[in-house]
Amino acid sequence: MYRPAKAYIHLPALRHNLQVVKNLAPQSKVLAVIKANGYGHGINRVAHQFNSADGFAVACIDEAIVLRQKGFLHRILLLEGLFSEAEIPLVYQHRLDLVVHSFHQLDWLLNSQYQAAINVWVKIDSGMHRLGFDPEDVSGVVEQLEQSDKAFQIHLISHLASADESEAFTMKQIDCFESTTKVYSYPKSLANSAGLQEFKQAQYQWVRPGIMLYGAGQCESCHPHLKPAMTLVSEIIGLKKVSKGEYVGYGNTWQAERDTEVGIVAIGYGDGYPRHAPSGTPVLIHGQRVPLIGRVSMDMICVDLTDLSKKAHIGDEAILWGDKSLSVDEIAECAGTIGYELLCGITQRVPIIEVQ
């Protein structure tokens, strides 16, 4: 037997969310972003569910090779490009698409001995100022690729910084990308999850959905038909009655203002539940929200069951996130972070159970 904490992965939800993307961007091809172990859902698992995508996007060669070893023949884009010149043989061996975002990467590619065709995605810094060539350098980069004797298939790409937060800044980025790339007929990609939902003009030939494929993200309200793919659950393993004035948990941070029935749930930061979730963070028991009380510990949290309309028992299920009425983004907001981090942070000791 194992601890009652477990994560259910709803496979139909993954397929459904991909179809939502296709419906939102019917003229675009889809690069399903499955980096960071499929946002914590399992890279092989989600790749099978996103099999009808036109390609996958990952962060590094290790992730790409896992997919190739599992038999996936899709286009696979390395979003951060090469970390070392020594990776070039692997890019050609595994037929990978490659982002080039800096001059040292460009030099590695131009000076390599390989002649086979390769898809190169020139990354443009349209305002995020993280990776990418400055707009005034793009023409020179493209010219070097065009004039090379190697068989480069050129694409143009950038990334939106605030599509779920700032319309003005996003429009500035879109205008920058458009003005920089309008002279080229090469395939283009700009829209991430929030971008493809909110800014149709950013969809271009390829879209790159990430968090929305998992039914999460700050912009999930933009499209109410997305379904959460992960449900994190555990069980009540202890019940206590605490008198008014008594404390619960480490550090005496929570004091009972009334006689309180406390439930102890087997989940904690050792499982990936956020340690900084404050008292009041909701947990679902019998379909009713009850508040977390006291500090999150490594293996347990405590909840206030006093107002629960149905009597609680040992073994009752507690839903931490993933129910329609309790999203991972709400828990993340309570903890001062984002849903991405919580999904990616589920630890190895939490069993993953697939729901067909």
Side-chain angles (χ1 to χ4, degrees):
M1 297 296 291
Y2 45 77
R3 295 176 68 247
K6 59 183 73 72
Y8 292 103
I9 305 298
H10 304 276
L11 305 184
L14 294 167
R15 297 191 297 270
H16 169 86
N17 294 337
L18 176 58
Q19 187 58 52
V20 170
V21 169
K22 292 182 175 184
N23 293 342
L24 287 170
Q27 304 305 314
S28 302
K29 293 183 178 179
V30 177
L31 277 174
V33 182
I34 58 175
K35 61 184 178 177
N37 195 31
Y39 287 50
H41 294 68
I43 190 169
N44 183 48
R45 178 180 297 111
V46 300
H48 278 290
Q49 305 313 308
F50 300 150
N51 192 55
S52 63
D54 300 286
F56 301 130
V58 298
C60 59
I61 279 183
D62 289 347
E63 293 174 334
I65 290 176
V66 165
L67 294 171
R68 287 290 187 246
Q69 290 175 339
K70 294 297 184 180
F72 292 101
L73 302 178
H74 300 65
R75 292 178 66 167
I76 303 176
L77 175 63
L78 302 178
L79 289 170
E80 296 178 40
L82 298 170
F83 297 105
S84 164
E85 190 173 6
E87 293 179 323
I88 290 179
L90 294 173
V91 170
Y92 281 92
Q93 177 186 348
H94 294 285
R95 296 169 287 105
L96 305 178
D97 286 29
L98 184 65
V99 162
V100 174
H101 59 71
S102 54
F103 285 105
H104 69 273
Q105 290 182 330
L106 179 64
D107 290 341
W108 291 343
L109 200 56
L110 292 172
N111 296 328
S112 74
Q113 62 182 343
Y114 295 91
Q115 299 292 328
I118 184 174
N119 294 312
V120 176
W121 298 66
V122 177
K123 186 155 192 177
I124 301 163
D125 182 358
S126 58
M128 190 171 186
H129 300 321
R130 191 175 62 176
L131 293 176
F133 295 100
D134 292 338
E136 58 267 26
D137 292 329
V138 170
S139 61
V141 172
V142 171
E143 184 177 359
Q144 289 186 68
L145 292 169
E146 290 175 332
Q147 293 181 354
S148 171
D149 59 356
K150 303 180 189 302
F152 296 133
Q153 305 297 316
I154 300 172
H155 302 64
L156 302 169
I157 186 172
S158 189
H159 192 57
L160 297 174
S162 303
D164 54 352
E165 297 180 51
S166 173
E167 179 179 358
F169 189 82
T170 302
M171 288 306 305
K172 184 178 179 180
Q173 283 196 269
I174 293 172
D175 291 344
C176 176
F177 185 74
E178 179 62 27
S179 63
T180 304
T181 65
K182 64 183 179 182
V183 298
Y184 302 111
S185 59
Y186 299 125
K188 304 172 187 178
S189 179
L190 180 59
N192 54 9
S193 289
L196 75 89
Q197 292 177 82
E198 290 287 275
F199 300 91
K200 279 190 171 293
Q201 65 270 48
Q203 291 181 355
Y204 292 103
Q205 287 80 24
W206 288 86
V207 294
R208 306 189 312 276
I211 193 67
M212 70 181 295
L213 291 174
Y214 309 95
Q218 294 176 343
C219 198
E220 67 173 326
S221 60
C222 300
H223 201 284
H225 301 302
L226 296 174
K227 297 180 179 180
M230 178 191 290
T231 304
L232 181 66
V233 305
S234 191
E235 295 176 4
I236 295 175
I237 61 169
L239 294 168
K240 294 189 75 70
K241 292 188 181 298
V242 174
S243 300
K244 180 180 178 180
E246 295 293 326
Y247 296 96
V248 172
Y250 284 120
N252 297 342
T253 60
W254 186 88
Q255 186 177 25
E257 297 179 352
R258 58 179 177 172
D259 291 345
T260 304
E261 183 172 356
V262 177
I264 297 86
V265 179
I267 196 81
Y269 60 80
D271 304 293
Y273 192 80
R275 180 179 180 275
H276 297 293
S279 293
T281 300
V283 175
L284 279 182
I285 296 177
H286 295 313
Q288 183 176 336
R289 289 174 174 236
V290 298
L292 181 149
I293 56 176
R295 288 181 181 170
V296 174
S297 56
M298 184 180 291
D299 310 307
M300 290 172 280
I301 62 172
C302 297
V303 294
D304 183 349
L305 302 175
T306 311
D307 295 327
L308 193 66
S309 58
K310 182 178 179 180
K311 183 174 175 57
H313 297 89
I314 300 296
D316 283 352
E317 183 180 70
I319 297 177
L320 290 313
W321 68 63
D323 185 90
K324 289 182 179 179
S325 61
L326 187 61
S327 73
V328 67
D329 299 296
E330 181 178 355
I331 303 305
E333 185 175 0
C334 290
T337 184
I338 56 176
Y340 300 68
E341 181 181 10
L342 300 191
L343 293 175
C344 292
I346 296 300
T347 64
Q348 290 185 343
R349 76 174 183 177
V350 177
I352 300 295
I353 299 174
E354 295 183 355
V355 179
Q356 301 291 334

